[in-house]
């Protein structure tokens, strides 16, 4: 009803009737006003529209506010204006049904003035309004309800998707262990094709699933007591009987005080358990490595205390246990390292570079003794802050000793090379001196003073020659003729001479092993060794003492070989010479085998005795050790390789026959003219025909031109151009000439141990005229050179 509508009184009516009618109209008006107020102020949006035109003809305040229009705007709108275009066809269908008298309600989407769509529930009532066929619409906004419902559906879909697609197993089960629900992941986890098959197949989870039912009972007990349990480990059995490890988290669901079900999840941790087992094994493995390592392993704080050490570290430093070392050492730099400044520098390098390697230094053991260690350390830092040091210490004491031995051996080798070279040149010179002094003695009467002078020259030459032989022995270039020897028998021969050389106030004792093995060496070298050592012992006991010479069979094992350079483990014969003399300090012991080193007064010793012994032992693949201390005497222990039981000693050498005059032709080849002339004079004086040449080339030309036979080639070994051996090979191939070599020493004629080739005869320089004539005669009157040597060498 519009505000302009007036109530009309019918003219001509009765006054009483008029009054009644008037009162009725008044009541209706009041009722109308009340209903209008109710319509306008109703909290739900309401409006009335014309069913024919679809124009809004009345609207309440709630509708105006809800849809965002002013009252006038709302009254000018059509019903289609508040519906989305796609809904308009349905709207017309609804209006048509309404005009046919069908009352209805339903849900729509309405369009607000600001364009926002709202979900509404609409109740429609048909009525006559102001002469219009109209319909009143009551709207209930259900937008929030629909949003909540949609959110709920989304949540349901989301959690259903999570449940269905989860990679962890989810389940519900009854307190007695019967599965109520399970997701696909759980079915797969237990080896079933679907959750339904899993639920149907597991009637009692406690007995059918869990490998250890007591473990499952413990899990349920915790759930009953605590209500919630997380990350509980269980081992279960799959459908095919295989076993896997699971991580279960669950809660007890209660109604009142009664548990109605358990809800939880299973996570397959089999791979993790495998990795954990592997990690534990690896940890145990590396723990074993650390605990059983032969090198010291440690961690220490920046404040110089050990955090942890392994047993090897404790043992290395002389402590009873790692705990003893950690507790005892409070300042590593000061208590462990002999040179604290050097250790501080090492740590500085580790801090700056992150790691410091191969640091060799001396360390103190618990008892105060010193050892050598090789340290490798890294500094562990975080955000620029030093946390700790980690590293390894290797005991290299033995290696340092071996290095010292090696350096000493290398030094001795270098000195030996020098000595050998000097000896070669000296031998040539001495041969000339001795040869011409012999010639002088032959020409001069025996009582002539010049004859005595020549004798002194000869004696001096022999003394010099002995020194040269000692140098050659030291440098292992002495020519030797080794035979199988019984050292007991060899020392018996020397024992006879020793009593004449050693003072009576020195007691000499021989201790010989009865079952002594055989060795192979030159008999003359045994004499050299014993005489040199005995004389040194004599000089070390000026006021008397004891000298003991001992032989024995020994075995040098791998440990001994590792501790001594160039020693091969195996059976040896030991020859020991010990005395009770003044002894030597460590510094002196480092030099005793060097040529010309002596602690004796000037003129009392040449310094070649011990170097000779050293060279002889090396030449015979032997080994020598010295044990000495000031005031405690000295013991030299010499080790020679022991031969097998089948080795038999060779007989002693036989005397040579008398030298006769010669008639043969001899070709002398020597690049030093004085020596060549000396040999020519000597041979010609004994009846030989002599040809001479300064080198191999000239000798070949001379032999080619010579019409007669050349019976003997006397040649030096080392010459410019072609050497003596090559010359001999060419001449003997042409004419079968015999060969006698001359040399102080020569590596072309002897092997690495100084042993002559079987077919070689060598005239050693310096030689006398007598030795020259003797060797020439022997070669000329013997079929094979090796037969000449057999009597002495046994070759």
């Amino acid at each position: 009803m519009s505000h302009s509508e007036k109530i009309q009184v019918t003219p001509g009516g009765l006054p009483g009737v008029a009054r009644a009618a008037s009162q009725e109209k008044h009541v209706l008006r009041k009722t109308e006003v009340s209903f209008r107020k109710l319509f306008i102020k109703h909290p739900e949006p309401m409006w009335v529209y014309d069913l024919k035109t679809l124009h809004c003809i009345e609207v309440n305040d709630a509708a105006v506010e809800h849809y965002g229009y002013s009252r006038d705007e709302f009254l000018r709108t059509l019903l289609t204006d508040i519906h989305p275009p796609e809904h308009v066809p349905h709207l017309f269908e609804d209006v048509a049904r309404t005009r046919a008298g069908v009352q209805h309600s339903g849900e729509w989407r309405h369009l607000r003035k600001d364009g926002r769509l709202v979900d509404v529930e609409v109740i429609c009532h048909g009525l006559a309004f102001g002469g219009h066929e109209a319909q009143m619409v009551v709207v209930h906004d259900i937008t929030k309800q629909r949003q909540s419902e949609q959110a709920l559906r989304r949540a349901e879909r989301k959690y259903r998707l999570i449940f269905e697609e989860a990679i962890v197993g989810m389940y519900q089960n009854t307190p007695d262990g019967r599965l109520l629900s399970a997701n696909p992941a759980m079915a797969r986890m237990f080896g079933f094709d679907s959750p339904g098959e899993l639920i149907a197949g597991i009637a009692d989870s406690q007995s059918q699933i869990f490998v250890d039912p007591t473990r499952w009972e413990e899990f349920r007990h915790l759930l009953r007591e605590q209500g919630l349990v997380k990350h509980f480990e269980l081992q279960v059995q799959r459908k095919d009987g295989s076993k896997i490890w699971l991580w279960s988290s669950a809660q007890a669901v209660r109604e009142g005080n009664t548990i109605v079900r358990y809800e939880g999840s299973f996570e397959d941790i089999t791979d993790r358990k495998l990795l954990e087992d592997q990690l534990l094994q690896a940890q145990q493995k590396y723990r074993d490595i650390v605990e059983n390592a032969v090198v010291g392993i440690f961690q220490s704080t920046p404040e110089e205390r050990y955090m942890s050490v392994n047993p090897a570290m404790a043992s290395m430093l002389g402590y009873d246990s790692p705990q003893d070392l950690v507790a005892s050492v409070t300042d590593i730099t000061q208590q462990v390292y002999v040179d604290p400044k050097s250790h501080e520098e090492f740590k500085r390098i580790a801090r700056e570079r992150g790691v410091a390697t191969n640091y060799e230094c001396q360390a103190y053991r618990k008892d105060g003794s010193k050892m050598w260690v090789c340290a490798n350390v890294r500094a562990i830092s975080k955000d620029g802050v030093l946390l700790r040091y980690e590293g390894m210490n290797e005991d290299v004491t033995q290696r340092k000793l071996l290095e010292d031995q090696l350096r000493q051996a290398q030094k001795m080798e270098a000195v030996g090379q020098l000595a050998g070279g000097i000896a070669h040149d000296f031998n040539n010179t001495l041969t000339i001196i001795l040869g011409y002094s012999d010639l002088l003695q032959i020409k001069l009467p025996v009582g002539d003073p010049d004859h005595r002078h020549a004798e002194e020259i000869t004696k001096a030459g022999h003394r010099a020659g002995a020194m040269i032989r000692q140098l050659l022995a030291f440098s292992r270039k002495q020519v030797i003729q080794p035979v199988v020897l019984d050292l007991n028998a060899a020392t018996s021969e020397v024992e006879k001479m020793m009593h004449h050389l050693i003072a009576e106030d020195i007691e000499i004792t021989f201790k010989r092993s009865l079952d002594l093995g055989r060795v192979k060496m030159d008999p003359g070298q045994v004499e050299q060794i014993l005489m040199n050592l005995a004389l040194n012992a004599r000089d070390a006991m000026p006021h008397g003492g004891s000298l003991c010479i001992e032989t024995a069979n020994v075995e040098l094992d791998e440990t001994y070989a590792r501790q001594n350079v160039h020693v091969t483990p195996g059976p040896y014969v030991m020859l020991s010479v010990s005395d009770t003399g003044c002894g030597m300090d460590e510094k002196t012991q480092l030099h005793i085998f060097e040529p010309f080193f002596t602690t004796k007064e000037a003129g009392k010793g040449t310094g070649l005795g011990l170097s000779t012994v050293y060279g002889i032992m090396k030449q015979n693949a032997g080994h020598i050790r010295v044990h000495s201390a000031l005031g405690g005497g000295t013991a030299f222990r010499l080790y020679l390789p022991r031969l097998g039981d089948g080795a038999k000693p060779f007989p002693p050498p036989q005397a040579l026959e008398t030298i006769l005059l010669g008639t043969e032709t001899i070709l002398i080849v020597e690049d030093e003219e004085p020596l060549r002339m000396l040999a020519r004079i000597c041979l010609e004086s004994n009846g030989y025909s002599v040809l001479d040449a300064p080198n191999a080339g000239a000798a070949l030309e001379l032999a080619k031109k010579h019409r007669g036979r050349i019976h003997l080639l006397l040649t030096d070994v080392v010459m410019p151009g072609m050497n003596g051996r090559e010359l001999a090979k060419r001449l003997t191939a042409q004419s079968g000439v015999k060969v006698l070599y001359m040399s102080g020493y020569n590596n072309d004629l002897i092997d690495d141990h100084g042993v002559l080739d079987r077919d070689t005869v060598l005239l050693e320089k310096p030689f006398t005229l007598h030795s020259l004539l003797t060797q020439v005669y022997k070669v000329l009157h013997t079929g094979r050179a090796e037969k000449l040597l057999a009597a002495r060498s046994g070759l």
Side-chain angles (χ1 to χ4, degrees):
M1 183 184 296
S2 67
H3 294 286
S4 60
E5 220 175 337
K6 304 291 186 181
I7 299 177
Q8 301 289 331
V9 178
T10 304
L14 293 175
V17 175
R19 281 196 297 276
S22 176
Q23 290 176 353
E24 183 179 353
K25 288 181 180 179
H26 179 70
V27 172
L28 288 171
R29 188 177 294 110
K30 289 181 64 177
T31 301
E32 179 184 351
V33 170
S34 296
F35 278 103
R36 178 174 178 77
K37 287 182 179 179
L38 178 62
F39 174 82
I40 293 298
K41 300 301 182 183
H42 195 282
E44 297 283 1
M46 299 174 64
W47 66 82
V48 179
Y49 70 92
D50 189 323
L51 282 173
K52 291 183 179 179
T53 64
L54 300 183
H55 272 94
C56 182
I57 54 179
E58 187 58 270
V59 63
N60 71 350
D61 293 342
V64 170
E65 180 181 356
H66 189 271
Y67 286 86
Y69 294 96
S70 67
R71 180 179 180 80
D72 291 340
E73 288 174 333
F74 210 112
L75 292 175
R76 288 197 298 271
T77 62
L78 294 174
L79 186 59
T80 55
D81 293 337
I82 61 173
H83 285 79
E86 63 272 15
H87 291 182
V88 171
H90 300 291
L91 174 63
F92 288 146
E93 293 175 2
D94 188 66
V95 171
R97 285 194 297 271
T98 300
R99 295 182 67 182
V102 179
Q103 301 297 320
H104 65 91
S105 62
E107 294 181 3
W108 294 84
R109 302 202 78 187
H110 284 175
L111 191 63
R112 287 166 43 94
K113 180 181 178 181
D114 60 9
R116 184 164 63 89
L117 289 171
V118 293
D119 293 305
V120 295
E121 185 178 48
V122 176
I123 301 175
C124 299
H125 301 277
L127 77 164
F129 188 85
H132 298 278
E133 183 184 6
Q135 188 172 50
M136 184 176 69
V137 177
V138 181
V139 176
H140 176 59
D141 192 334
I142 60 172
T143 302
K144 291 183 179 180
Q145 177 184 335
R146 290 292 176 265
Q147 289 175 344
S148 297
E149 290 173 352
Q150 290 174 359
L152 180 60
R153 285 193 294 272
R154 285 195 298 270
E156 288 178 347
R157 287 195 299 271
K158 173 182 176 182
Y159 290 110
R160 172 57 58 182
L161 185 63
I162 290 174
F163 184 78
E164 295 294 331
E165 301 296 331
I167 60 175
V168 297
M170 296 182 179
Y171 67 92
Q172 291 179 324
N173 70 313
T174 63
D176 60 0
R178 182 170 51 85
L179 278 174
L180 295 172
S181 66
N183 69 339
M186 183 165 170
R188 291 191 300 271
M189 195 177 291
F190 283 86
F192 291 88
D193 294 332
S194 66
E197 184 189 2
L198 172 63
I199 294 170
I202 305 298
D204 183 358
S205 59
Q206 181 171 353
S207 61
Q208 290 181 258
I209 294 179
F210 298 100
V211 174
D212 183 0
T214 60
R215 184 73 173 157
W216 169 244
E217 187 55 46
E218 180 185 353
F219 181 54
R220 289 202 303 176
H221 173 74
L222 290 173
L223 279 173
R224 287 193 297 269
E225 294 295 320
Q226 301 176 8
L228 177 67
V229 177
K230 294 182 178 181
H231 302 154
F232 193 87
E233 290 186 2
L234 294 159
Q235 193 176 25
V236 302
Q237 186 169 276
R238 303 176 79 242
K239 179 182 178 182
D240 61 5
S242 60
K243 296 174 183 178
I244 59 174
W245 280 94
L246 300 178
W247 213 2
S248 182
S249 297
Q251 63 178 356
V253 179
R254 299 175 184 270
E255 290 183 0
N257 292 327
T258 304
I259 297 176
V260 295
R261 66 181 181 276
Y262 297 120
E263 295 179 344
S265 62
F266 282 130
E267 182 180 351
D268 188 343
I269 59 168
T270 305
D271 289 342
R272 196 203 74 191
K273 288 288 288 184
L274 179 61
L275 289 174
E276 285 180 353
D277 290 343
Q278 292 174 346
L279 178 60
L280 288 174
Q281 291 175 9
Q283 288 175 338
Q284 185 60 45
K285 173 183 175 182
Y286 289 110
R287 186 178 296 111
D288 290 344
I289 290 175
V290 171
E291 294 296 317
N292 300 318
V294 296
V295 296
I297 301 174
F298 69 89
Q299 290 182 320
S300 63
T301 67
E303 294 75 32
E304 291 298 293
R305 292 206 62 155
Y306 286 119
M307 300 165 62
S308 65
V309 299
N310 71 335
M313 183 80 171
S315 176
M316 182 187 304
L317 295 177
Y319 290 84
D320 296 332
S321 66
Q323 295 76 19
D324 182 22
L325 173 56
V326 171
S328 300
V329 177
T330 58
D331 188 337
I332 296 172
T333 299
Q334 296 299 324
Q335 290 179 254
V336 175
Y337 293 96
V338 175
D339 186 353
K341 290 184 179 180
S342 176
H343 185 247
E344 288 292 347
E345 176 65 14
F346 179 65
K347 290 195 303 178
R348 182 191 65 78
I349 294 173
R351 289 194 301 270
E352 293 179 357
R353 302 179 184 176
V355 64
T357 59
N358 298 328
Y359 167 63
E360 292 188 357
C361 61
Q362 281 188 297
Y364 291 114
R365 302 181 83 249
K366 184 179 181 179
D367 61 6
S369 61
K370 297 176 183 179
M371 61 179 295
W372 280 93
V373 298
C374 178
N376 292 277
V377 175
R378 64 172 183 158
I380 308 299
S381 302
K382 184 176 182 181
D383 300 327
V385 178
L386 177 64
L387 301 180
R388 64 184 182 276
Y389 295 105
E390 295 180 348
M392 293 187 299
N393 281 344
E394 181 182 0
D395 184 351
V396 295
T397 305
Q398 201 60 49
R399 195 196 77 197
K400 294 289 285 186
L401 293 176
L402 288 174
E403 287 177 353
D404 290 342
Q405 289 183 26
L406 180 59
R407 280 193 292 271
Q408 184 71 5
Q410 290 172 335
K411 180 172 68 173
M412 300 293 281
E413 184 69 25
V415 174
Q417 293 288 342
L418 175 62
I422 293 172
H424 177 268
D425 293 336
F426 266 68
N427 276 331
N428 281 345
T429 303
L430 286 174
T431 300
I432 297 170
I433 293 172
L434 289 172
Y436 281 105
S437 67
D438 284 348
L439 288 176
L440 285 174
Q441 290 179 66
I442 292 172
K443 293 180 178 180
L444 294 170
V446 175
D448 192 300
D450 289 335
H451 188 281
R452 290 194 300 274
H453 297 163
E455 286 179 343
E456 291 301 321
I457 294 172
T458 299
K459 291 178 183 179
H462 285 304
R463 287 195 298 271
M467 292 181 65
I468 295 302
R469 282 193 295 275
Q470 287 181 311
L471 282 175
L472 288 171
F474 166 73
S475 61
R476 303 192 296 282
K477 292 179 172 59
Q478 179 185 28
V479 178
I480 61 174
Q481 296 170 329
V483 297
V484 176
L485 282 182
D486 177 355
L487 281 184
N488 284 341
T491 55
S492 296
E493 294 295 325
V494 180
E495 184 179 359
K496 300 171 185 177
M497 296 185 293
M498 200 170 290
H499 288 286
H500 299 290
L501 298 174
I502 305 300
E504 293 182 355
D505 58 354
I506 296 176
E507 180 185 3
I508 304 175
T509 305
F510 282 82
K511 296 180 181 180
R512 298 183 177 94
S513 175
L514 296 179
D515 59 345
L516 192 67
R518 304 290 189 258
V519 299
K520 190 172 185 179
M521 66 183 301
D522 190 308
Q525 290 183 317
V526 178
E527 179 183 332
Q528 283 182 285
I529 289 173
L530 286 177
M531 294 309 297
N532 277 311
L533 293 178
L535 291 174
N536 272 358
R538 179 199 64 185
D539 295 341
M541 298 182 288
H543 305 295
S546 298
L547 173 64
C548 180
I549 298 172
E550 182 180 359
T551 61
N553 294 325
V554 296
E555 292 284 339
L556 301 183
D557 58 16
E558 294 282 355
T559 302
Y560 185 90
R562 285 195 298 270
Q563 295 172 350
N564 294 274
V565 180
H566 305 317
V567 173
T568 302
Y572 286 79
V573 172
M574 182 194 72
L575 174 62
S576 171
V577 179
S578 58
D579 63 61
T580 58
C582 59
M584 298 176 286
D585 58 22
E586 291 183 3
K587 184 177 180 181
T588 300
Q589 291 179 52
L590 292 175
H591 302 282
I592 57 174
F593 295 120
E594 297 174 8
F596 309 113
F597 175 81
T598 181
T599 57
K600 299 175 184 177
E601 297 177 12
K604 294 293 182 70
T606 62
L608 289 173
L610 290 178
S611 63
T612 300
V613 174
Y614 177 88
I616 291 173
M617 293 306 297
K618 291 299 181 182
Q619 195 169 26
N620 288 279
H623 173 60
I624 184 169
R625 291 289 287 168
V626 183
H627 302 275
S628 185
L630 283 175
T634 301
F636 288 89
R637 293 190 176 94
L638 295 82
Y639 301 94
L640 290 161
R642 192 193 326 158
L643 302 178
D645 294 336
K648 301 297 181 183
F650 281 92
Q654 299 176 355
L656 297 175
E657 60 267 37
T658 305
I659 302 173
L660 302 176
L661 291 175
T663 59
E664 293 86 358
T665 300
I666 299 174
L667 172 58
I668 302 174
V669 185
E670 167 62 56
D671 57 321
E672 288 205 23
E673 185 177 0
L675 183 55
R676 189 172 71 250
M677 292 299 103
L678 173 66
R680 180 174 188 132
I681 293 170
C682 178
L683 292 171
E684 286 180 337
S685 66
N686 204 55
Y688 294 103
S689 298
V690 179
L691 306 172
D692 70 271
N695 54 58
L700 289 173
E701 284 295 323
L702 188 59
K704 185 178 179 180
K705 295 177 180 179
H706 182 67
R707 296 189 177 277
R709 179 185 174 188
I710 297 176
H711 298 86
L712 176 69
L713 170 65
L714 174 60
T715 179
D716 193 9
V717 178
V718 179
M719 296 181 294
M722 186 186 302
N723 63 35
R725 168 164 282 191
E726 181 61 28
L727 170 63
K729 187 183 299 184
R730 293 180 63 172
L731 279 180
T732 54
Q734 294 175 8
S735 58
V737 63
K738 295 180 179 181
V739 180
L740 173 60
Y741 293 102
M742 297 182 291
S743 182
Y745 81 90
N746 190 271
N747 287 339
D748 291 331
L749 293 175
I750 58 177
D751 65 14
D752 292 336
H753 300 292
V755 180
L756 284 170
D757 291 347
R758 285 182 176 271
D759 294 329
T760 302
V761 179
L762 180 66
L763 177 61
E764 295 181 59
K765 298 176 182 179
F767 55 79
T768 64
L769 298 184
H770 183 270
S771 62
L772 170 61
L773 293 173
T774 300
Q775 286 290 64
V776 168
Y777 181 84
K778 284 165 53 180
V779 175
L780 286 172
H781 294 86
T782 305
R784 289 181 56 86
E786 62 182 5
K787 293 180 181 177
L788 298 175
L789 301 172
R792 180 168 185 253
S793 67
L795 295 177

